[in-house]
Amino acid sequence: RGLISAGEIEGGHAQAAAKPVARVLSAADVANVLYRGGPTSRETAAAARFAAGDRVRMKNIHPQTHTRLPRYVRGHVGRIDLVHGAHVFPDTHATGKGEDPQWLYTVRFESRELWGEGADPTVSVSVDAWEPYL
């Protein structure tokens, strides 16, 4: 983001005056900001590919970078319970590649789908999953 130079990284210290930033979070405000959170919903031109009730299979991916896709649901089939709208995609946002808004869904998995025939059939697990995971 241009706040530090390659020479400063290599040298381990500042070599120029700090650049001004638009907003500064004071230490006294940190707890309140974390408690309140920030809105992540965004507009997107893409239509949702899935709707409540659709059966979906989660991708079996193993990225080298950040993902919010739990390993225990990868490759498994679930059903969409809720469409939350488009939101900031954390996989790109966490790596500095922008917000890249993606549709977000609640997907429910039956316990036997995840853990086999010996699992309690009355149990299900829900995860919030972005469209690129489906």
Side-chain angles (χ1 to χ4, degrees), residues 40-75:
T40 62
S41 60
R42 299 292 187 266
E43 295 293 323
T44 183
R49 291 181 49 209
F50 305 101
D54 287 354
R55 285 175 42 90
V56 293
R57 180 177 301 276
M58 306 307 285
K59 291 180 179 176
N60 190 9
I61 59 172
H62 304 282
Q64 295 292 315
T65 59
H66 178 84
T67 186
R68 295 259 176 110
L69 179 60
R71 287 189 187 273
Y72 63 88
V73 301
R74 295 177 192 179

Side-chain angles (χ1 to χ4, degrees), residues 63-100:
Q64 295 292 315
T65 59
H66 178 84
T67 186
R68 295 259 176 110
L69 179 60
R71 287 189 187 273
Y72 63 88
V73 301
R74 295 177 192 179
H76 290 282
V77 175
R79 189 169 303 277
I80 305 261
D81 277 345
L82 186 62
V83 180
H84 293 280
H87 291 262
V88 173
F89 187 42
D91 294 41
T92 57
H93 194 252
T95 57
K97 295 178 183 167
E99 292 186 346
D100 190 23

Side-chain angles (χ1 to χ4, degrees), residues 5-56:
S5 71
E8 289 172 314
I9 292 172
E10 187 175 312
H13 59 83
Q15 295 175 345
K19 292 182 180 182
V21 293
R23 297 181 332 183
V24 176
L25 179 63
S26 72
D29 293 332
V30 169
N32 188 41
V33 169
L34 290 175
Y35 174 77
R36 193 176 66 240
T40 62
S41 60
R42 299 292 187 266
E43 295 293 323
T44 183
R49 291 181 49 209
F50 305 101
D54 287 354
R55 285 175 42 90
V56 293

